[in-house]
Amino acid sequence: MSRKVIIAGNWKMNKTAAEAKSLVEALKPLVADVCPNKADIVVCPTFTSLAAVADAVKGSNIKLGCQNIHWAASGAFTGEISAAMLKEIGVEYVIIGHSERRQYFGETDESVNKRLKTALAEGFKPIVCIGEMLADREGGKTEQVLEQQLAGGLAGVTKADAAKIVLAYEPVWAIGTGKTATPAMAQETHAFIRSFLNRTFGTEVGETIRIQYGGSMKAENAAELVAEKDIDGGLIGGAALKADSFAALVKNAIGNAL
Ligand code: 13P
């Protein structure tokens, strides 16, 4: 089964709107020759930069994503953002349940599930993040933690909707630390995630779901990671903040995709 590579830049809380616009303007010519049939290239700026970036990516092969979505249509939810607000700007992808949201802002599998269901109902392409902490891995609990995050986060999702989801496996100990999981280690975990998806949604759906790796992925290690059978792209933090490093990463990843 060949799945189209998806490389998404999660800009986190970086870049003002003006800086975000400059970054994406610099990125456009560097990835202009990447055929949209070969890879999806996504950038996920912070909310205040979405409009500027939406404008800048029009007519290019770069797609727009954001970093959160609330489950309610509107109301008293200070600091949150609704589907309609994101849709109006032209957002296509939505990152849900990033480990930083889970660690610092009380995101749970239950809230991930609510955000996911709204994102699906509203026609977004969700990027659902899962990943174990260092203590989980060292304690031999990686699979147990991931199984729990998958079961809770994806609870009640239909087969048809599951096919629209992208999963991002981000070992928390590898995020921003320079410590990447080895390709073999990442593949082993991706295969475990794939087996959960196949069991839950059937192989006809499970085999089509793209699973990104995230955690200190950069141009230098992208090719070997994406060469693994169940690694279908990356969710990129630090290396997405510069046009040249992100473009190089995209090209190296595609060159080696299975
Ligand atoms: P880094 O690429 O900076 O390790 O961040 C990964 C990440 O959290 C992407 O969502």
Side-chain angles (χ1 to χ4, degrees), residues 10 12 98 100 170 174-176 215-217 235-238:
N10 172 11
K12 308 191 178 182
H98 191 278
E100 287 145 20
E170 301 202 309
I175 295 178
S216 299
M217 189 159 165
L235 185 57
I236 321 300

Side-chain angles (χ1 to χ4, degrees), residues 8-12 95 98-100 129 168 170-172 174-179 213-218 234-241 249:
N10 172 11
W11 294 358
K12 308 191 178 182
I95 297 173
H98 191 278
S99 63
E100 287 145 20
C129 303
E170 301 202 309
V172 179
I175 295 178
T177 58
K179 285 188 207 158
Y213 170 81
S216 299
M217 189 159 165
K218 44 189 185 282
L235 185 57
I236 321 300
L241 295 175
L249 189 159

Side-chain angles (χ1 to χ4, degrees), residues 164-210:
K164 299 171 193 156
I165 294 174
V166 174
L167 276 170
Y169 166 59
E170 301 202 309
V172 179
W173 47 269
I175 295 178
T177 58
K179 285 188 207 158
T180 326
T182 63
M185 196 194 276
Q187 166 56 29
E188 191 186 351
T189 311
H190 279 234
F192 172 78
I193 296 166
R194 177 87 55 213
S195 76
F196 175 93
L197 298 172
N198 285 343
R199 250 184 293 136
T200 310
F201 302 111
T203 52
E204 72 283 6
V205 171
E207 289 293 329
T208 66
I209 298 175
R210 293 179 291 178

Side-chain angles (χ1 to χ4, degrees), residues 111-235:
S111 59
V112 167
N113 187 248
K114 285 158 90 171
R115 295 185 199 278
L116 172 62
K117 284 185 174 152
T118 293
L120 287 165
E122 297 293 335
F124 293 96
K125 296 174 180 157
I127 298 177
V128 178
C129 303
I130 55 171
E132 82 284 3
M133 313 276 285
L134 183 60
D136 300 325
R137 181 156 285 267
E138 288 179 345
K141 292 198 181 131
T142 300
E143 294 190 350
Q144 187 188 320
V145 166
L146 295 177
E147 175 105 20
Q148 202 174 320
Q149 291 176 344
L150 286 162
L154 305 184
V157 170
T158 63
K159 278 189 187 192
D161 274 346
K164 299 171 193 156
I165 294 174
V166 174
L167 276 170
Y169 166 59
E170 301 202 309
V172 179
W173 47 269
I175 295 178
T177 58
K179 285 188 207 158
T180 326
T182 63
M185 196 194 276
Q187 166 56 29
E188 191 186 351
T189 311
H190 279 234
F192 172 78
I193 296 166
R194 177 87 55 213
S195 76
F196 175 93
L197 298 172
N198 285 343
R199 250 184 293 136
T200 310
F201 302 111
T203 52
E204 72 283 6
V205 171
E207 289 293 329
T208 66
I209 298 175
R210 293 179 291 178
I211 310 174
Q212 297 174 305
Y213 170 81
S216 299
M217 189 159 165
K218 44 189 185 282
E220 293 74 21
N221 59 20
E224 53 177 12
L225 283 160
V226 175
E228 295 290 342
K229 179 170 167 282
D230 290 295
I231 303 183
D232 308 311
L235 185 57

